[in-house]
Amino acid sequence: MRADHLQESTSRIVPDVLSRQAEAVGDDPFLIQDDRQLTFAETDRLADSHAQAYASLGVAKGDRVAMLMENSIDQAATSFGVNRVGAIWSPVSTEYRGEWLANLLRRIDSDVLVVDASLLHKVTELGDLGFKHVIIKGEQQSEAPSGATIHDYAELAEFKPVRPDVDQFYGDTSAILWTSGTTGPSKGVEQSHNTWLTFAELHNRVYRNGIREGERFYGCVPMYNSGGWSINVYPALIAGVPACIDERFSVSRYWDRIAHYQASHTMVLGTMPLFLLQQPPRENDADNTLRTVLLNPPIPGLWEKFKERFGIETITAGFGQSEIMGATLWTSDMPTKPGSQGLALVDDHPVECRILDDNDREVGPNEVGEICVRPKEPFTIFNGYFNEPERTLESRRNLWHHSGDLGKIDEDGELFFVDRKKDSTRNKGRNISSFEVEHIARQHPQVSDVAVFGVPSQHLQHEDELMIAILPAQGQTIDPFEFCQYMDKNAPYFFVPRYIDFVTEFPMTPSNKILKYKLREMGVTASTWDRESEVPDWKPNQKGGVSRV
């Protein structure tokens, strides 16, 4: 089914689109992982069965279903079932553990958790989180959480595939994705059915000649973030073509995976394209099936090399975040300037983007201010932050969503990113909240206080390396490597800093707040401890715990 047919329908509910595709191209493959696949019709029937299963557990319209799952077609399939019963799915980062994982699972406020068997131990060790039902995908290898009824994920498919009679609206929240906080805990971004579909349509439309028959999407970015859905599952859904899913990104196997799936469209974020370009050149580098790549950010010099070396027809990019999906439009055939994030003043774009000063007045061309966005049509940006009305209102001050990033728009309408206004860093395509890192670091028994900030990466513009300034407790001496091991044990691996400085005092404001900009200005000095130089054989363990490699 072509995307333009979708526009003619009165229903813009995600599982309704699935049903229409099941009628139109039901025998065609939709979800593919390795050598396993589900057709559109099979996925549609599974959605009905899963909806009945969730309903039998007491899940109803507006309820949440928590997910702790690696990328998989099962995660995608069951999301349609959750939505079909009118409920909301909420995936949690598989890299979280300990207190941060417990806090996030509690905040979802769900009676039901769907979890991979390989991740079950992370939940069990947290004690009672209030779940009434835990659905385990795969062979259970560890003890299950106490106080919950345990179910086998495979049993969901055995329920009779009866379509629930649920009244839904295209502006209803269909999912809650969790993004890094800046001055507080992570925020739950409420995405509506219409937001997903609007930007999936836009994604398909900006590619030259649209999506062609027989083409396939490929995704290996985390599906606990919006990009795993908005640039793979949902564009494939509305185009009536397959969405191929891998558990994670692999530099060494990337092009083998593209060949395996015969993929035509994908996305690479942050340092992913840099890592791919650093691989030894091969004579057949351009001999692959990819036609288009969404590459963000569009770093000058990098995208040109990527396009030429790997024979990509069209590269797209733009400024965006989970709350607004995409605020600008950029493709590699546009005559934009170096460093441009694309056109911000596009007539048929679903949102409008402006640069505003601290009083929310628009600034002139090439003047720096905050990048702000508002929708042109209903339900084309996020519905709000889950259970946080005050933060929602603050972010939407004067009817504009405030991105927390500084930029400028030139006389030709091109957007240029300048800096982060918010207190976060960006590393390898991931926004990292300094608040969250500091919260864990301050619990170290020898720490009095800390300040976390980013210093420019040597490898990629607009990317940071995580740095932490530590004020030891009185009379205490902290071993920097031991501190890194502590962070690796108690937090996601990407909370482990590369650089550590020890200070005797912090630069402070009159109101006793740390002046982080002064620390950033100092940056890396001769006294800074560099983890990659001091312990080059040690890497933070992405699966949890501490290891040397």
Side-chain angles (χ1 to χ4, degrees):
M1 178 186 269
R2 299 277 306 192
D4 53 359
H5 293 170
L6 178 63
Q7 298 279 20
E8 300 169 4
S9 172
T10 58
S11 175
R12 294 181 64 79
I13 310 299
V14 166
D16 289 355
V17 177
L18 173 62
S19 294
R20 296 201 297 276
Q21 296 293 42
E23 294 175 358
V25 289
D27 293 334
D28 289 356
F30 173 34
L31 300 174
I32 302 177
Q33 184 173 19
D34 293 320
D35 296 322
R36 182 183 169 214
Q37 70 177 33
L38 294 171
T39 66
F40 281 93
E42 288 170 337
T43 307
D44 191 48
R45 286 193 296 272
L46 271 179
D48 285 340
S49 294
H50 282 209
Q52 291 298 325
Y54 288 119
S56 74
L57 302 181
V59 177
K61 183 178 179 180
D63 290 339
R64 275 80 51 204
V65 172
M67 294 178 175
L68 183 63
M69 306 177 75
E70 302 284 5
N71 289 2
S72 68
I73 64 176
D74 295 306
Q75 184 181 14
T78 203
S79 74
F80 290 107
V82 172
N83 281 161
R84 184 151 282 170
V85 79
I88 300 163
W89 49 273
S90 185
V92 175
S93 171
T94 56
E95 296 160 340
Y96 274 22
R97 56 181 176 270
E99 176 190 340
W100 226 251
L101 175 61
N103 179 60
L104 201 52
L105 289 173
R106 290 192 186 100
R107 289 177 62 198
I108 294 174
D109 190 24
S110 172
D111 288 341
V112 179
L113 170 68
V114 187
V115 59
D116 285 344
S118 61
L119 300 172
L120 182 62
H121 69 280
K122 287 189 174 187
V123 180
T124 303
E125 65 188 20
L126 300 176
D128 186 5
L129 296 177
F131 291 111
K132 295 180 181 178
H133 302 277
V134 173
I135 302 171
I136 302 173
K137 179 201 159 192
E139 184 176 351
Q140 184 175 336
Q141 300 173 348
S142 60
E143 184 180 350
S146 60
T149 302
I150 305 304
H151 307 268
D152 184 347
Y153 176 89
E155 295 175 357
L156 274 61
E158 298 175 5
F159 279 72
K160 187 176 181 180
V162 178
R163 185 69 47 89
D165 184 14
V166 181
D167 184 24
Q168 299 196 59
F169 175 60
Y170 78 117
D172 288 344
T173 296
S174 74
I176 300 172
L177 285 298
W178 296 87
T179 186
S180 294
T182 56
T183 57
S186 298
K187 298 169 288 189
V189 178
E190 299 185 36
Q191 305 287 24
S192 71
H193 294 273
N194 192 63
T195 300
W196 289 126
L197 298 177
T198 296
F199 282 91
E201 291 165 347
L202 175 66
H203 176 270
N204 289 358
R205 189 168 68 246
V206 298
Y207 285 140
R208 186 180 300 169
N209 299 323
I211 307 303
R212 302 169 187 170
E213 186 175 354
E215 293 190 328
R216 295 180 169 194
F217 286 83
Y218 170 70
C220 59
V221 298
M223 290 174 65
Y224 52 76
N225 289 333
S226 295
W229 304 83
S230 63
I231 315 296
N232 188 27
V233 176
Y234 292 139
L237 171 67
I238 66 172
V241 300
C244 307
I245 299 171
D246 267 346
E247 189 171 298
R248 59 178 51 87
F249 169 66
S250 169
V251 179
S252 61
R253 300 178 62 228
Y254 186 80
W255 296 109
D256 291 337
R257 302 307 291 167
I258 294 295
H260 172 78
Y261 291 117
Q262 294 291 288
S264 310
H265 311 283
T266 193
M267 73 181 302
V268 289
L269 297 177
T271 53
M272 289 170 63
L274 180 64
F275 292 153
L276 292 171
L277 284 169
Q278 289 173 344
Q279 296 299 295
R282 301 181 302 181
E283 291 184 1
N284 63 342
D285 273 340
D287 184 16
N288 64 76
T289 58
L290 281 183
R291 182 167 69 85
T292 66
V293 174
L294 188 146
L295 187 154
N296 241 354
I299 304 300
L302 188 145
W303 71 261
E304 294 96 333
K305 293 178 182 177
F306 195 90
K307 185 174 187 287
E308 180 179 358
R309 174 172 167 180
F310 299 115
I312 310 301
E313 178 184 304
T314 304
I315 289 181
T316 69
F319 176 83
Q321 52 185 206
S322 289
E323 291 91 332
I324 54 177
M325 296 289 189
T328 63
L329 176 63
W330 180 93
T331 65
S332 54
D333 55 357
M334 286 182 175
T336 50
K337 306 174 188 70
S340 172
Q341 301 290 301
L343 296 176
L345 311 175
V346 181
D347 289 340
D348 62 348
H349 204 69
V351 301
E352 61 177 309
C353 177
R354 297 289 187 274
I355 305 298
L356 305 183
D357 65 15
D358 289 339
N359 296 314
D360 289 343
R361 293 188 176 94
E362 186 173 0
V363 303
N366 293 304
E367 291 186 36
V368 175
E370 185 168 7
I371 302 171
C372 296
V373 172
R374 66 184 177 189
K376 295 179 181 177
E377 298 290 338
F379 306 108
T380 51
I381 67 171
F382 77 123
N383 282 347
Y385 295 120
F386 178 59
N387 277 349
E388 295 191 86
E390 291 183 0
R391 292 179 85 175
T392 301
L393 288 173
E394 173 59 23
S395 77
R396 292 183 173 175
R397 190 172 63 251
N398 291 320
L399 303 181
W400 288 93
H401 170 68
H402 293 65
S403 72
D405 287 329
L406 299 176
K408 59 184 180 181
I409 297 176
D410 71 5
E411 60 280 353
D412 296 318
E414 295 181 38
L415 174 69
F416 295 82
F417 174 87
V418 173
D419 200 359
R420 275 164 291 280
K421 184 177 183 180
K422 54 192 178 183
D423 193 10
S424 66
T425 64
R426 185 169 181 83
N427 180 264
K428 297 180 180 178
R430 176 188 289 107
N431 289 319
I432 304 173
S433 165
S434 63
F435 172 88
E436 295 181 339
V437 181
E438 289 167 351
H439 176 77
I440 299 296
R442 288 192 181 105
Q443 297 178 49
H444 188 286
Q446 295 173 296
V447 166
S448 174
D449 202 0
V450 299
V452 172
F453 51 97
V455 295
S457 169
Q458 300 172 351
H459 304 294
L460 193 61
Q461 186 182 14
H462 304 324
E463 288 274 322
D464 305 308
E465 296 285 359
L466 197 65
M467 185 167 181
I468 183 166
I470 301 176
L471 177 65
Q474 187 172 3
Q476 298 293 319
T477 300
I478 301 173
D479 177 77
F481 179 55
E482 181 277 329
F483 178 82
C484 287
Q485 292 176 307
Y486 166 84
M487 293 297 291
D488 192 37
K489 181 179 179 180
N490 292 280
Y493 71 93
F494 48 85
F495 279 27
V496 178
R498 174 174 175 179
Y499 299 112
I500 297 178
D501 260 337
F502 293 100
V503 300
T504 56
E505 62 179 1
F506 288 113
M508 307 292 284
T509 69
S511 58
N512 291 317
K513 293 183 178 180
I514 297 174
L515 291 168
K516 288 192 180 181
Y517 79 90
K518 289 186 175 292
L519 296 172
R520 291 190 189 96
E521 288 176 352
M522 292 174 58
V524 178
T525 67
S527 64
T528 302
W529 186 85
D530 180 358
R531 170 170 54 83
E532 292 191 3
S533 296
E534 298 293 334
V535 283
D537 63 332
W538 182 83
K539 302 294 182 184
N541 190 346
Q542 298 188 19
K543 288 296 185 180
V546 179
S547 68
R548 282 187 181 271
V549 296

